[in-house]
Amino acid sequence: RRTATLAGRGHGNRDIADKLSVTTRTVELRLSAAYRKLRISGRAELRALVRSMEGHDTDVA
């Protein structure tokens, strides 16, 4: 969950790996599993999901 949340907030794989003290490969595997479980296709959908869950339903451009 933490991996997906950080990715959804815009952090890169290397940054997430450093924050969670895991390898970048572990981050990739966790994100792949999260995408499958959430039935989404990638980071853009994950970002939208995290934003909606955190109460940021509207985009500010």
Side-chain angles (χ1 to χ4, degrees):
R1 180 177 273 182
R2 291 185 310 172
T3 302
T5 301
L6 288 170
R9 290 180 180 162
H11 295 274
N13 288 1
R14 186 174 294 154
D15 184 40
I16 296 168
D18 290 343
K19 287 181 185 300
L20 301 180
S21 300
V22 297
T23 66
T24 54
R25 181 67 179 146
T26 298
V27 172
E28 292 167 1
L29 292 170
R30 288 178 180 177
L31 288 176
S32 293
Y35 297 159
R36 272 194 311 278
K37 287 180 183 179
L38 296 170
R39 295 185 178 150
I40 59 176
S41 61
R43 239 183 172 93
E45 288 182 74
L46 180 61
R47 189 175 300 115
L49 181 62
V50 168
R51 287 180 63 81
S52 70
M53 290 178 67
E54 292 181 339
H56 301 288
D57 288 333
T58 57
D59 262 340
V60 177

